[in-house]
Amino acid sequence: MGYITAGINHRTAPITLREQVAFSADQLPDALQSARSHTGIEEIAILSTCNRTEIYCALHSSAAETIEMYYGKLIDWLTHYHQINSHQTNSNLLAEHAYLFYDQEAIRHLMRVACGLDSMVLGEPQILGQLKSAYASAQEADTAGPALNRLFQHSFTTAKQIRTETAINEQPVSVAYAATRLAKQIFSDLSENTALLIGAGETIELTARHLCQQGVSNIIVANRTLERARLLTDRFGGRPVLLSDLSQVLHESDIVISSTASPIPVLGKGAVERALKQRRHKPMFMVDIAVPRDIEPEVSELADVFLYTVDDLQDVIEDNLQQRKDAARKAERMIEADTFEFMTRMRSLDAVNLLRNYRQSTEAMRDQELEKAMQWLARGANPEEVLQQFARSLTNKFMHQPSVQLKNAAAMGQQEKLEWAEKLLGLDSNQKTDSTQDA
């Protein structure tokens, strides 16, 4: 049994590539089945966020050549599924930015992701919920089998322990927090500004909470469904509007923060230009947290707009990380220990399967010889002679295959195998016998 992880993230790939390989929640069932069909891998889960797209797999073999083969198939599938190279001259575009982890490194990586140690915002808590959703999607698609189940459950347990025993997420450092902090640098008193939040997911909810804490009282939430937008405005105050009515409220907004799951931009340059005219070119601060992007990149060309993407928030985030870095060092040590524990447990499962097969084999030999002995007894044979014959036959059968293998190892000069066999069989290497007997 082996594990591999293949993917790209904010460290290895630009946003222009990350948005091309992003999966919406609606796509995942089809994508999981497609990935399994294309690669032949039975156990697959896909995590897709604004900062990463990763594929987690469990294999029946951990041989290096097998891992490389499946890695190639995964990259090939991801490339064709999203048609990444349909407008690219370089057919290896995705492979140039992708990474591969296998076995122990794959296990450690998943735990680091679950704990937020691999996130743009160190220790951010949202990733754990996203990872649980990815796991749930794989379960629903029937692509998460026993091996992936064990790995994900162990990772969730580790993440919970780390968040309980360290200060990894005590400081409010997140993309939503960074966006709010950046807005405060541009508008000194946020209480005088109107904020437009596009979307109604977890990130937007967190953004609304931070804005309220900073004194923003006038919030507009635009969403595809009015009911979902109203849930947020009921909690934090403000006005819900439909996404289709965005142009009617855009001119009121000093701060625009967007995070939807739309595959295409929901806000274009033309709409922003019209809003600026209505505002008499009063500046607008915009943060596009979504991947794929919600706001057309050309909006940044407008003189009165400050447009930031998730990649631009990195410098803001770095200022508030020192306490989390101290906690992260402790978390890394805990992950190292938990990775070793998980690997040990998985290896012991391999031994359990081997022992089960060995027991079944020996029990079959025993039953066969016992049946012969019972037949001899039924015919009136001497019980003592039957028992002696039973013991000799059973001993010879038990020893036959190990004897063949030991003789082959000796003939090939494989001394290490012979020494290991002594330990396995519980023999004293100094023990001397007066005679030997072939089995």
Side-chain angles (χ1 to χ4, degrees), residues 49-67:
T49 73
C50 59
N51 286 328
R52 72 183 65 245
T53 292
E54 293 183 341
I55 308 174
Y56 309 102
C57 307
L59 307 175
H60 293 298
S61 171
S62 59
E65 59 272 16
T66 301
I67 289 168

Side-chain angles (χ1 to χ4, degrees), residues 305-439:
V305 173
F306 299 91
L307 175 61
Y308 296 84
T309 67
V310 287
D311 289 352
D312 298 322
L313 298 179
Q314 186 63 50
D315 292 338
V316 180
I317 291 166
E318 288 294 335
D319 294 338
N320 208 27
L321 288 181
Q322 191 54 52
Q323 290 186 35
R324 292 194 175 196
K325 288 180 179 178
D326 293 338
R329 283 189 282 271
K330 179 180 179 181
E332 293 283 10
R333 292 192 294 270
M334 294 172 67
I335 286 175
E336 195 65 32
D338 280 1
T339 299
F340 177 79
E341 177 189 343
F342 184 81
M343 286 293 293
T344 301
R345 190 184 305 169
M346 290 303 99
R347 287 167 180 158
S348 68
L349 288 177
D350 290 338
V352 167
N353 292 332
L354 178 62
L355 287 170
R356 183 186 298 115
N357 293 336
Y358 181 58
R359 174 174 289 276
Q360 290 174 351
S361 174
T362 55
E363 286 179 346
M365 295 179 193
R366 177 203 63 195
D367 292 344
Q368 186 179 24
E369 293 304 316
L370 183 59
E371 184 179 356
K372 290 180 182 179
M374 295 296 288
Q375 290 175 354
W376 280 108
L377 289 172
R379 294 171 187 168
N382 186 298
E384 184 176 350
E385 292 178 358
V386 171
L387 284 174
Q388 289 177 351
Q389 181 60 38
F390 171 76
R392 282 194 298 270
S393 298
L394 192 59
T395 301
N396 287 339
K397 284 204 169 185
F398 283 169
M399 290 190 62
H400 175 69
Q401 190 60 34
S403 298
V404 170
Q405 296 300 325
L406 287 171
K407 288 178 180 179
N408 288 340
M412 298 295 293
Q414 297 172 331
Q415 188 62 30
E416 288 185 1
K417 283 189 176 180
L418 296 176
E419 292 174 357
W420 187 84
E422 283 186 341
K423 295 179 181 178
L424 178 67
L425 299 173
L427 301 177
D428 183 355
S429 60
N430 296 319
Q431 182 179 350
K432 301 296 183 180
T433 59
D434 295 332
S435 62
T436 60
Q437 178 178 341
D438 289 341

Side-chain angles (χ1 to χ4, degrees), residues 185-209:
Q185 292 177 4
I186 294 174
F187 304 105
S188 57
D189 185 3
L190 294 184
S191 64
E192 299 179 357
N193 299 112
T194 296
L196 169 61
L197 306 181
I198 305 175
E202 188 175 356
T203 300
I204 288 296
E205 181 180 346
L206 187 59
T207 302
R209 182 178 295 110

Side-chain angles (χ1 to χ4, degrees), residues 223-235:
N223 193 54
R224 186 174 52 196
T225 61
L226 199 61
E227 180 181 359
R228 179 63 181 154
R230 187 174 286 113
L231 288 175
L232 285 186
T233 55
D234 287 346
R235 186 179 307 175

Side-chain angles (χ1 to χ4, degrees), residues 105-398:
E105 289 302 320
I107 295 165
R108 181 186 294 110
H109 178 74
L110 180 58
M111 291 184 188
R112 295 187 77 253
V113 170
C115 297
L117 295 180
D118 196 60
S119 298
M120 177 184 288
V121 182
L122 181 64
E124 59 96 1
Q126 286 77 26
I127 187 63
L128 181 58
Q130 292 166 332
L131 198 58
K132 288 182 177 180
S133 295
Y135 171 58
S137 295
Q139 285 185 306
E140 291 173 6
D142 198 28
T143 62
L148 276 186
N149 290 339
R150 285 190 290 265
L151 177 59
F152 274 93
Q153 291 300 337
H154 190 86
S155 298
F156 297 154
T157 300
T158 297
K160 181 179 180 181
Q161 182 184 8
I162 285 175
R163 293 185 185 282
T164 301
E165 298 181 12
T166 73
I168 191 68
N169 65 336
E170 287 184 1
Q171 294 300 317
V173 182
S174 65
V175 171
Y177 177 80
T180 305
R181 182 177 175 184
L182 193 56
K184 193 172 182 179
Q185 292 177 4
I186 294 174
F187 304 105
S188 57
D189 185 3
L190 294 184
S191 64
E192 299 179 357
N193 299 112
T194 296
L196 169 61
L197 306 181
I198 305 175
E202 188 175 356
T203 300
I204 288 296
E205 181 180 346
L206 187 59
T207 302
R209 182 178 295 110
H210 286 310
L211 288 172
C212 288
Q213 290 172 352
Q214 293 299 321
V216 177
S217 58
N218 192 9
I219 295 177
I220 303 170
V221 178
N223 193 54
R224 186 174 52 196
T225 61
L226 199 61
E227 180 181 359
R228 179 63 181 154
R230 187 174 286 113
L231 288 175
L232 285 186
T233 55
D234 287 346
R235 186 179 307 175
F236 301 105
R239 176 167 33 124
V241 299
L242 287 169
L243 196 59
S244 56
D245 296 330
L246 195 59
S247 59
Q248 299 177 22
V249 297
L250 186 58
H251 68 281
E252 303 177 32
S253 311
D254 306 300
I255 301 167
V256 179
I257 300 177
S258 186
S259 178
T260 76
S262 174
I264 60 175
V266 298
L267 194 57
K269 183 179 179 181
V272 178
E273 282 182 310
R274 290 189 291 273
L276 285 171
K277 288 181 181 179
Q278 290 179 272
R279 291 171 57 83
R280 299 180 183 274
H281 292 277
K282 182 181 177 181
M284 299 177 73
F285 168 72
M286 296 183 169
V287 179
D288 188 351
I289 303 176
V291 176
R293 282 173 282 191
D294 282 338
I295 303 174
E296 288 183 350
E298 291 77 13
V299 170
S300 63
E301 299 170 2
L302 300 175
D304 299 305
V305 173
F306 299 91
L307 175 61
Y308 296 84
T309 67
V310 287
D311 289 352
D312 298 322
L313 298 179
Q314 186 63 50
D315 292 338
V316 180
I317 291 166
E318 288 294 335
D319 294 338
N320 208 27
L321 288 181
Q322 191 54 52
Q323 290 186 35
R324 292 194 175 196
K325 288 180 179 178
D326 293 338
R329 283 189 282 271
K330 179 180 179 181
E332 293 283 10
R333 292 192 294 270
M334 294 172 67
I335 286 175
E336 195 65 32
D338 280 1
T339 299
F340 177 79
E341 177 189 343
F342 184 81
M343 286 293 293
T344 301
R345 190 184 305 169
M346 290 303 99
R347 287 167 180 158
S348 68
L349 288 177
D350 290 338
V352 167
N353 292 332
L354 178 62
L355 287 170
R356 183 186 298 115
N357 293 336
Y358 181 58
R359 174 174 289 276
Q360 290 174 351
S361 174
T362 55
E363 286 179 346
M365 295 179 193
R366 177 203 63 195
D367 292 344
Q368 186 179 24
E369 293 304 316
L370 183 59
E371 184 179 356
K372 290 180 182 179
M374 295 296 288
Q375 290 175 354
W376 280 108
L377 289 172
R379 294 171 187 168
N382 186 298
E384 184 176 350
E385 292 178 358
V386 171
L387 284 174
Q388 289 177 351
Q389 181 60 38
F390 171 76
R392 282 194 298 270
S393 298
L394 192 59
T395 301
N396 287 339
K397 284 204 169 185
F398 283 169

